[in-house]
Amino acid sequence: MKVAVYYGPMDMRIEERPVPVPGPGQMLVKIEYCGICGTDVESFRRAGMIPPGMVFGHENVGTVAALGEGVEGFTVGERILCGPPAHCAEDCTPCRHGQTNICTHGFMRTAGIRTYDGGYAEYMLIHDASHTMLIPVAEGTDPKEAVLFDVVCVAFHAIRRSRFRLGDDVVVSGAGPIGLSAMRLLRAAGAGRIIALVTGPAKAELVRSFGADEVIDLSATEDLKSRVLEILGRDVGADVVFECAGSPASLENCAYYCVKPGGQVMLVGTNGQPMGIAPNRIIPREIDLTPSFVYTAEEVEAYLRMLASGKLRFRDLVTDTVPLSRCVELGLDRPDRRNHLKILIDPSLG
């Protein structure tokens, strides 16, 4: 089978490997689509994030190709999502409290990031089927939409973790796949007014199509706070602000200029660089800064139910599908990548 192996910054090679044979407690999945994540892009460009020799890919949908001894509840040919680790075998404190997204062992055991190879391959070996987020996909569900679970459910979890209530006015900073998913979910959840912050005019029409009522182009706005208040028609900012860009400037905009006193800023975007906030700018206003990390299996299942019911659609997040053999030039290191939302790898294309 073909796999894409990471050897170091800007060095990924397509290789041939034997198709794995699942042992006890393991499962073999034939990959249909694997999403190229922002984490993959950063890891490809910079040393130290993912160890050399790994196969990237933690956003996967595929069909069960073989079951190892002792694996129950799945059938060969069944379509499933292959997500991060689920409830850990050690039954750590977060897992005991239902917070499997912050399992103390989870990140290090996520396929495609640490320890186990991911889905930049024709086949993927699930090393521990009983403690991996393996979620059946209903017949009739578009696998290209199902595989977006990792993006959509990051936004879904952040909204559920927030204090958002029906009718609340919100600001979403960032118009990437997570920010756009948040806008669509907030619209479906009954947000009052949704303001999107973007860094240029090119995405205005796009963010409106995902649910934004108003778009503020930061490159053409001198006084962000005044503009937010003007849109809301009141003397305070938004009830809840979702920071989805993962940049210091975005966080400052959200915390200093967009949120009302006593409001909440959800920290959804991630970044390896320090993101400083001056305490004297937020403490006197009692601004809550609340981090949100990935999602739970229950949230993924809810996403799939929404797709199956036709209540929500996210197919428009996918802007290209590329062969595994060209995952670098058409995906990770694509010159026009900023013009794309979600790029998927389809191993069947070669």
Side-chain angles (χ1 to χ4, degrees):
M1 68 172 185
K2 287 184 174 62
V3 297
V5 184
Y6 171 72
Y7 281 92
M10 309 301 289
D11 184 5
M12 184 171 287
R13 308 170 198 173
I14 304 300
E15 298 180 354
E16 288 284 346
R17 289 184 179 178
V19 176
V21 177
Q26 298 179 340
M27 176 192 296
L28 185 68
V29 175
K30 181 176 174 58
I31 297 296
E32 288 183 276
Y33 297 105
C34 178
I36 295 179
C37 178
T39 301
D40 297 343
V41 175
E42 290 301 311
S43 300
F44 174 70
R45 294 175 176 171
R46 296 195 296 119
M49 294 183 66
I50 293 181
M54 288 287 297
V55 175
F56 285 11
H58 56 274
E59 304 177 1
N60 305 292
V61 64
T63 55
V64 178
L67 298 170
E69 181 183 351
V71 178
E72 299 178 348
F74 299 95
T75 58
V76 172
E78 179 180 16
R79 178 175 286 141
I80 60 171
L81 298 178
C82 310
H87 195 120
C88 70
E90 293 86 347
D91 195 28
C92 71
T93 298
C95 283
R96 284 200 304 274
H97 288 85
Q99 298 171 295
T100 55
N101 59 305
I102 53 172
C103 169
T104 56
H105 309 284
F107 184 78
M108 296 302 294
R109 295 175 184 171
T110 299
I113 293 181
R114 290 286 192 279
T115 310
Y116 305 125
D117 287 338
Y120 281 35
E122 292 183 276
Y123 290 87
M124 175 180 169
L125 182 66
I126 306 298
H127 286 262
D128 187 353
S130 61
H131 296 102
T132 302
M133 200 180 289
L134 302 171
I135 301 178
V137 179
E139 287 189 22
T141 302
D142 183 353
K144 276 190 174 182
E145 202 164 28
V147 77
L148 299 172
F149 72 97
D150 190 81
V151 170
V152 178
C153 290
V154 166
F156 188 25
H157 178 76
I159 294 168
R160 284 163 57 97
R161 181 163 163 72
S162 76
R163 297 200 303 264
F164 170 79
R165 294 294 183 268
L166 186 72
D168 279 355
D169 293 325
V170 299
V171 170
V172 179
S173 178
I178 292 174
L180 293 172
S181 297
M183 294 175 210
R184 185 159 289 173
L185 290 167
L186 287 163
R187 170 60 64 225
R193 285 161 291 189
I194 301 173
I195 301 173
L197 305 186
V198 299
T199 54
K203 283 191 172 181
E205 183 178 347
L206 175 69
V207 296
R208 289 184 188 279
S209 74
F210 274 83
D213 296 296
E214 298 287 344
V215 183
I216 298 178
D217 176 4
L218 297 171
S219 67
T221 303
E222 294 184 2
D223 189 340
L224 176 58
K225 180 178 180 180
S226 294
R227 181 66 182 125
V228 170
L229 298 184
E230 178 186 6
I231 292 171
L232 296 181
R234 62 192 199 188
D235 62 353
V236 293
D239 301 294
V240 185
V241 177
F242 294 85
E243 196 297 298
C244 299
S247 75
S250 174
L251 178 57
E252 290 179 9
N253 285 335
C254 292
Y256 295 167
Y257 309 120
C258 294
V259 68
K260 72 178 184 182
Q264 182 183 41
V265 176
M266 295 300 301
L267 307 178
V268 189
T270 59
N271 197 304
Q273 60 185 307
M275 297 174 68
I277 286 289
N280 67 342
R281 300 287 296 273
I282 62 171
I283 289 176
R285 296 186 296 139
E286 290 193 343
I287 303 303
D288 284 347
L289 302 179
T290 306
S292 178
F293 185 62
V294 296
Y295 44 83
T296 65
E298 290 77 15
E299 288 162 342
V300 177
E301 290 166 351
Y303 168 61
L304 290 178
R305 287 195 298 270
M306 286 189 288
L307 291 183
S309 69
K311 291 180 178 178
L312 284 174
R313 294 266 77 97
F314 288 93
R315 185 66 167 72
D316 45 350
L317 281 175
V318 179
T319 52
D320 203 2
T321 304
V322 303
L324 176 63
S325 59
R326 304 185 69 189
C327 65
V328 172
E329 62 193 282
L330 297 181
L332 294 167
D333 197 35
R334 186 173 185 148
D336 66 343
R337 191 181 173 280
R338 288 187 175 276
N339 297 329
H340 286 270
L341 295 175
K342 201 66 185 173
I343 299 175
L344 305 181
I345 294 171
D346 180 353
S348 72
L349 296 178

